[in-house]
């Protein structure tokens, strides 16, 4: 179309037909395309040795690119000019007119380089930077992240980039709080790795954004919705979807579950879906405590099949203590399943103030978590949220906000 306006999305997170990590970005892209007149063009960044070709998923064409982003985030930001030039060449090859680009939506701080490259050629372009976790400057990522010289260099480059961006997009209130509190910890921060990271950059200047908004990760309610006639379960099933990592804190969940089984609630089952480095430790704990047979293990499934899993649950619990948002909580709720999470984490902002003591737990407090699960087992309380979660509603509101950028 001769007057077509482009909305460019550049992200390291995007699902493929083989892997569904990043489905929330796919949902966001589809919603922007549904609710606007923009031609949304997606670029997924890959490692130099990743040979994945361009592909189409759920009607969205994904262009895979392999820019010279520093490996393991070493001196992250040093190649901004090269990355920008490379991206301009890619856009030219695809016959995308720079003068018709309105927004370059960059997921994560280091991807802002793509937007700045376009803005140098078309100053009218607005550079949007979105953050997905509680380390918005990505200072904890990478093989040499703990090297003081590397972390401080990366912090300086990130602060500069974020102050230049036209809009900063946070997926939750805690992510926004972490960004605005930098270089100090946000309220409620307990993760030792994050606290140590901030100690190294405590003398750095704060970030002063031009404009900052919250755009929660929404749910496609055409896929995730309650059953009209729920199946009556013979057991009380507690579910959890998360990669097995330290910060997801499966240990607190299985410790609470162990207390409940030992207390005599043998009609409970714990249903786990995920993989990762702490799974072996969790399996060992379950066997040592004689509760392995009360646990069900599930393999990864395509995103659109997750409702089948949620519909099998009575309660969803993920006691992660470093969680920017966690789409799984809201997906479970959209399917008619209440959730429990840790206080001061992303999904906690959705819980009504009057119900916070019923659904939120302090980090690592497995005894209190067990009490809350037991209460829900006995009472089957209905959960009420205080924010919208339908992705179309959220994106329509977001598109209105973009007009003020």
């Amino acid at each position: 179309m001769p007057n077509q306006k482009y909305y460019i999305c550049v992200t390291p997170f995007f699902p493929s037909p083989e892997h569904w990590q990043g489905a929330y970005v796919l949902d966001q892209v589809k919603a922007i395309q549904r609710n606007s007149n923009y031609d949304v063009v997606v670029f997924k960044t890959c490692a130099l040795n990743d040979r994945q070709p361009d592909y189409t998923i759920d009607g969205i064409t994904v262009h895979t690119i392999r820019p010279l982003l520093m490996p393991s985030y070493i001196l992250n930001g040093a190649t901004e000019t090269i990355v920008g030039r490379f991206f301009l060449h890619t856009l030219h090859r695809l016959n995308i007119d720079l003068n018709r680009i309105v927004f370059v939506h960059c997921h994560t701080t280091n991807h802002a380089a793509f937007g700045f490259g376009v803005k140098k050629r078309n100053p009218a372009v607005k550079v949007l930077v979105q953050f997905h976790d509680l380390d918005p400057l990505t200072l904890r990522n990478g093989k040499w992240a703990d090297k003081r010289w590397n972390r401080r260099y990366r912090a300086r480059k990130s602060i500069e980039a974020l102050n230049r961006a036209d809009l900063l997009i946070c997926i939750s209130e805690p992510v926004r709080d972490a960004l605005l509190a930098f270089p100090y910890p946000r309220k409620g921060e307990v993760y030792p790795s994050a606290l140590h990271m901030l100690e190294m950059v405590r003398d750095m200047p704060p970030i002063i954004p031009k404009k900052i908004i919250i755009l929660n990760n929404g749910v496609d309610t055409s896929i995730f919705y309650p059953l009209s006639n729920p199946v009556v379960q013979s057991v009380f099933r507690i579910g959890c979807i998360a990669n097995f990592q330290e910060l997801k804190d499966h240990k607190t969940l299985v410790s609470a579950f162990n207390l409940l089984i030992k207390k005599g609630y043998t009609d409970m089952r714990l249903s786990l879906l995920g993989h990762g480095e702490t799974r072996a430790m969790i399996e060992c704990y379950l066997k040592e405590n004689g509760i392995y047979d009360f646990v069900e293990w599930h393999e990864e499934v395509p995103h659109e099949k997750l409702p089948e899993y949620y519909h099998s649950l009575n309660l969803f619990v993920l006691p992660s203590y470093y969680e920017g948002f966690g789409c799984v909580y809201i997906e479970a709720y959209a399917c008619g399943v209440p959730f429990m999470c840790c206080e001061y984490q992303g999904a906690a902002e959705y819980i009504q103030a009057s119900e916070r003591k019923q659904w939120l737990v302090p980090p690592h407090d497995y005894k209190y978590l067990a009490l809350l699960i037991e209460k829900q087992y006995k009472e089957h309380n209905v959960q009420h949220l205080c924010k919208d979660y339908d992705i179309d509603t959220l994106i329509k509101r977001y598109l209105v906000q973009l007009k003020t950028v």
Side-chain angles (χ1 to χ4, degrees), residues 196-207:
H196 173 67
M197 172 266 289
L198 291 170
E199 282 294 332
M200 283 192 181
V201 295
R202 186 56 53 84
D203 59 334
M204 292 283 180
I207 296 159

Side-chain angles (χ1 to χ4, degrees), residues 29 44 125 140 146 173 202 207 363:
V29 164
K44 179 182 178 181
V125 164
R140 294 180 50 256
D146 259 346
E173 293 174 6
R202 186 56 53 84
I207 296 159

Side-chain angles (χ1 to χ4, degrees), residues 170-184:
C170 303
I171 62 170
S172 67
E173 293 174 6
V175 171
R176 178 202 58 194
D177 295 345
L179 187 72
L180 296 179
F182 181 88
Y184 297 95

Side-chain angles (χ1 to χ4, degrees), residues 311-353:
H311 290 150
S312 72
L313 306 178
N314 299 96
L315 177 67
F316 184 88
V317 182
L318 173 55
S320 174
Y321 52 83
Y322 196 67
E323 194 70 48
F325 186 74
C327 296
V328 288
Y329 299 106
I330 309 302
E331 288 173 352
Y333 178 87
C335 289
V337 180
F339 67 83
M340 293 179 181
C341 66
C342 281
E343 58 191 14
Y344 299 116
Q345 309 311 307
E349 72 191 63
Y350 268 76
I351 302 296
Q352 286 190 2

